Amino acid sequence: MDKPLPMWMRDVTRVAVLTGAGISTGSGIPDYRGPDGVWTRDPAAAAAFTLDTYLRDPATRVRFWQTYVDHPAWTAQPNAAHEALARLDRSGVAVRVLTQNIDGLHQRAGLAARKVLELHGTMWTASCTACRTTAPTAEVRTRVAAGEADPRCTACGGVIKLDTVLFGERLNPTVIGHAVAIASAAPLLLAIGSSLLVEPAAQLGQVAVAHGARLVIINRDETPYDQVAAEVIRADITDVVPDIVDQLIGARV
Ligand code: ZN
């Protein structure tokens, strides 16, 4: 490499990575909250998916399961960016991913589950809101596909919900506490495909910068943190993340 590496790439042994919907659009999963997102264009659809409405209104649950039964995420594959982050971790750099995504693609790409904090939960399991019995969502999808429009808990008859955070629902304080600790201690935070506008991502960016992390933002659109970032990259995530990872690995040898 003829060009000297930027400062933020040197001597990296630990990286915190904050990922949002933009890393998964390359796997065919739509960005619900982005400028062209389903929920941005149709705020009523988002309003319907609040915890309160979901628990109270069977018609909302029917609509929810109809939306999710054929969701593209069930068959989506990790893309080059997910795979690059797993490769970075295997190279000996300690990678911790804080993700806004519920699709499980970081783990599918090979990162250990304990290295991925799912800030908004996961769509791969579903729990009874009454007795907390948890089952793979695949079982619920099978029931929906077989004609149960509003499947209920087989143990107690309670309302079943994906283990994701709905609008109006509190984030898991243990997960958020752990994420804040990682963001505070990270020398480098790569923010990939996140607008850094939605909590808790906005707060995590703030915490990292306040503790002196070098912030590198890879996102299609502007973010509130662009001015304080060490670098802002507006390019295709599936191209640029593998490239950065190769350089970080190369800088270590
Ligand atoms: Zn139950």
Side-chain angles (χ1 to χ4, degrees):
M1 209 168 304
D2 37 18
K3 185 171 83 165
L5 286 172
M7 276 304 294
W8 60 266
M9 279 196 173
R10 292 180 198 164
D11 305 320
V12 171
T13 56
R14 288 183 293 141
V15 182
V17 186
L18 178 61
T19 62
I23 196 172
S24 290
T25 51
S27 292
I29 300 176
D31 176 0
Y32 283 88
R33 297 177 201 255
D36 302 317
V38 177
W39 288 341
T40 312
R41 285 186 278 113
D42 181 10
F49 294 151
T50 64
L51 179 61
D52 182 53
T53 316
Y54 186 88
L55 293 178
R56 189 161 44 75
D57 178 28
T60 296
R61 295 195 294 274
V62 168
R63 199 167 152 207
F64 186 90
W65 289 116
Q66 279 172 351
T67 305
Y68 268 92
V69 74
D70 291 322
H71 196 282
W74 300 118
T75 50
Q77 298 297 319
N79 63 53
H82 297 105
E83 283 161 4
L85 293 171
R87 187 163 80 242
L88 182 62
D89 187 67
R90 282 196 303 273
S91 81
V93 172
V95 175
R96 291 293 180 276
V97 172
L98 321 173
T99 187
Q100 298 173 273
N101 301 335
I102 59 173
D103 53 40
L105 289 179
H106 288 295
Q107 298 91 317
R108 298 263 305 280
L111 264 183
R114 63 183 175 81
K115 298 184 177 183
V116 182
L117 285 181
E118 299 176 304
L119 306 170
H120 293 155
T122 176
M123 63 193 291
W124 289 93
T125 55
S127 298
C128 171
T129 55
C131 75
R132 306 312 308 174
T133 299
T134 300
T137 308
E139 292 176 12
V140 186
R141 287 175 63 215
T142 303
R143 292 172 60 189
V144 174
E148 280 187 74
D150 176 22
R152 306 293 285 257
C153 174
T154 49
C156 80
V159 168
I160 299 175
K161 188 180 87 55
L162 288 186
D163 290 335
T164 57
V165 177
L166 292 178
F167 290 101
E169 188 172 7
R170 252 166 62 86
L171 300 164
N172 180 325
T174 308
V175 173
I176 300 307
H178 196 178
V180 167
I182 290 169
S184 323
L188 173 61
L189 177 68
L190 297 180
I192 305 172
S194 171
S195 64
L196 302 177
L197 286 168
V198 179
E199 291 300 344
Q203 180 199 349
L204 293 169
Q206 170 70 39
V207 163
V209 170
H211 284 80
R214 289 202 175 93
L215 175 62
V216 174
I217 297 173
I218 304 150
N219 195 45
R220 182 188 58 190
D221 305 309
E222 283 181 24
T223 84
Y225 291 90
D226 289 3
Q227 298 302 321
V228 295
E231 191 159 344
V232 177
I233 302 167
R234 299 204 197 291
D236 189 312
I237 286 169
T238 57
D239 289 334
V240 79
V241 173
D243 200 37
I244 287 175
V245 162
D246 288 343
Q247 291 191 56
L248 287 172
I249 294 172
R252 291 166 50 76
V253 293

